[in-house]
Amino acid sequence: MFVAYANGANDNFKGVATLLGSGTSDYQKALWWATVTTFAGSMTALFLATKLVETFQGRGLIPESLTGSGPFAAAVILGTGLTLFLATKIGAPISTTHSLTGALIGSGLMAVGSDFGFVALWDKFLIPLLLSPLIAVGLAVIVYPLFRLSATFIGLTRETCICAGEELVPVAITPGGHFMTTGTKSVQVVVDQEANCAESYTEKIFGVNAQTALGSLHYLSAGALSFARGLNDTPKIVALSLTAGTLDLRWCVYLVALFMALGGLFHAQRVAETMSKRITEMDFGQGFAANLVASFLVIFASRWGLPVSTTHVSCGALFGIGAVNGKARWGVVRSIVLAWVLTLPVAALLSGGIFTVLQDLIGKG
């Protein structure tokens, strides 16, 4: 449950980060949407993601006799949870999958040494973890331009607007670089900062305002990504509980889903700020494209038991959007990638150290 709580704190907001980053939603609305849809994904994991439970019980990496060992299970659980907790405290969006893999490596090496399953580690864990963010970047670079072309093809255009009461008023750029209202408005408003303006679709699709329709689709795509995250991460944490041998599968899923939700509700804000604001500026069309790419990859991986990271995939999609719109903050991107690189060895060291201490305590007992 500690791992589930830490996972929720670090991961729950990632699915809806584009809602906040694009100004489509405020923090509280986005957080509750993430909580509800992630919980639904966790419940669905009972039926669609059982292969991931088997993968993260360490099969192929260590002898089956060791997977039920109390010290091994406790070391993997604590190594994973502590790594997530430390990252959340500094606002670094790291991967639960990466943390758990590192913890399995650390405890496994200390337990069996050279008998550790390095071939299975590469095939089942590292290849999907390495390839998934690269695929996400590539798909985002392709999908968003296609989205823009489709919008142009059906005649959707955007106007730069400011808020006047509850109305969006179109504005134009003066030769001096200021924004001024256009049309027949009797009162002119001059805005000195571009950040105070927003772009809005003014046409209608099947009788519905295009801005409203696309905003709804953005919400649905964020919900799909959060659902996919719950579907993908829940089995990995459930595997830890089953390894410890305390509860059956159904109760493990219920409790993991509950504590993931609580972790997100109470401790998601720092990671939310990093994911929503610091990686890249975005509009809701770019956020929508990033969510489509990430949710597709995570749901596909969950169905086939591939241990990809929702963090790597969702961040990779945002990296791709930042590359396309030219607004990526590459210093922040480098910091996030460095955190990813450090996640596995930190989790391995923590888990391996805890396993050694527990073994010594048992030996002395």
Side-chain angles (χ1 to χ4, degrees), residues 2-335:
F2 171 57
V3 175
Y5 189 94
N7 169 275
N10 196 273
D11 284 18
N12 264 20
F13 202 85
K14 292 168 184 173
V16 298
T18 60
L19 292 177
L20 180 60
S22 64
T24 305
S25 172
D26 61 31
Y27 175 75
Q28 288 298 329
K29 289 179 182 177
L31 180 62
W32 278 105
W33 183 233
T35 302
V36 170
T37 50
T38 300
F39 190 87
S42 296
M43 292 295 99
T44 308
L46 269 172
F47 311 102
L48 296 182
T50 52
K51 286 186 179 179
L52 282 172
V53 174
E54 297 176 4
T55 298
F56 280 90
Q57 284 183 301
R59 292 177 183 176
L61 297 180
I62 56 173
E64 287 195 22
S65 59
L66 185 61
T67 59
S69 160
F72 177 81
V76 171
I77 290 167
L78 291 173
T80 303
L82 288 171
T83 304
L84 287 169
F85 178 78
L86 292 172
T88 302
K89 290 293 289 183
I90 63 172
I94 67 166
S95 163
T96 298
T97 309
H98 222 170
S99 302
L100 182 49
T101 301
L104 285 169
I105 292 171
S107 291
L109 287 175
M110 296 305 298
V112 298
S114 60
D115 292 331
F116 187 79
F118 291 101
V119 174
L121 173 67
W122 177 253
D123 292 342
K124 291 184 177 181
F125 292 85
L126 296 185
I127 288 180
L129 286 173
L130 290 172
L131 290 181
S132 56
L134 299 177
I135 295 172
V137 171
L139 286 178
V141 168
I142 295 169
V143 168
Y144 177 63
L146 290 176
F147 174 80
R148 291 296 302 273
L149 285 173
S150 299
T152 302
F153 179 76
I154 63 176
L156 291 181
T157 56
R158 289 186 295 182
E159 291 183 336
T160 302
C161 303
I162 60 170
C163 245
E166 295 184 356
E167 182 182 359
L168 283 174
V169 180
V171 295
I173 304 175
T174 68
H178 292 169
F179 290 83
M180 299 184 64
T181 58
T182 61
T184 58
K185 293 285 179 182
S186 59
V187 179
Q188 286 191 333
V189 180
V190 178
V191 181
D192 289 327
Q193 298 295 325
E194 185 176 357
N196 293 331
C197 297
E199 289 190 324
S200 174
Y201 288 100
T202 55
E203 291 84 358
K204 291 188 175 181
I205 304 174
F206 303 115
V208 180
N209 178 269
Q211 186 77 12
T212 301
L214 292 173
S216 299
L217 288 174
H218 191 180
Y219 259 95
L220 288 175
S221 70
L225 181 52
S226 294
F227 177 90
R229 197 197 75 74
L231 181 66
N232 192 264
D233 279 2
T234 300
K236 301 168 188 174
I237 304 171
V238 165
L240 299 178
S241 293
L242 294 177
T243 298
T246 53
L247 295 170
D248 63 22
L249 176 63
R250 189 173 298 274
W251 272 105
C252 286
V253 170
Y254 293 158
L255 288 172
V256 166
L258 173 63
F259 277 82
M260 280 172 59
L262 292 174
L265 287 172
F266 292 117
H267 283 101
Q269 195 152 6
R270 288 192 178 182
V271 174
E273 182 69 21
T274 299
M275 291 286 295
S276 303
K277 304 290 187 181
R278 297 182 61 206
I279 294 175
T280 181
E281 294 179 28
M282 72 188 92
D283 59 35
F284 71 89
Q286 293 160 356
F288 174 64
N291 288 344
L292 282 183
V293 168
S295 57
F296 168 76
L297 288 175
V298 176
I299 290 174
F300 177 84
S302 301
R303 177 64 185 85
W304 295 102
L306 300 174
V308 303
S309 162
T310 308
T311 302
H312 290 183
V313 169
S314 55
C315 285
L318 290 177
F319 297 166
I321 292 298
V324 171
N325 66 19
K327 296 180 179 179
R329 299 182 178 94
W330 294 112
V332 176
V333 173
R334 284 192 294 271
S335 298

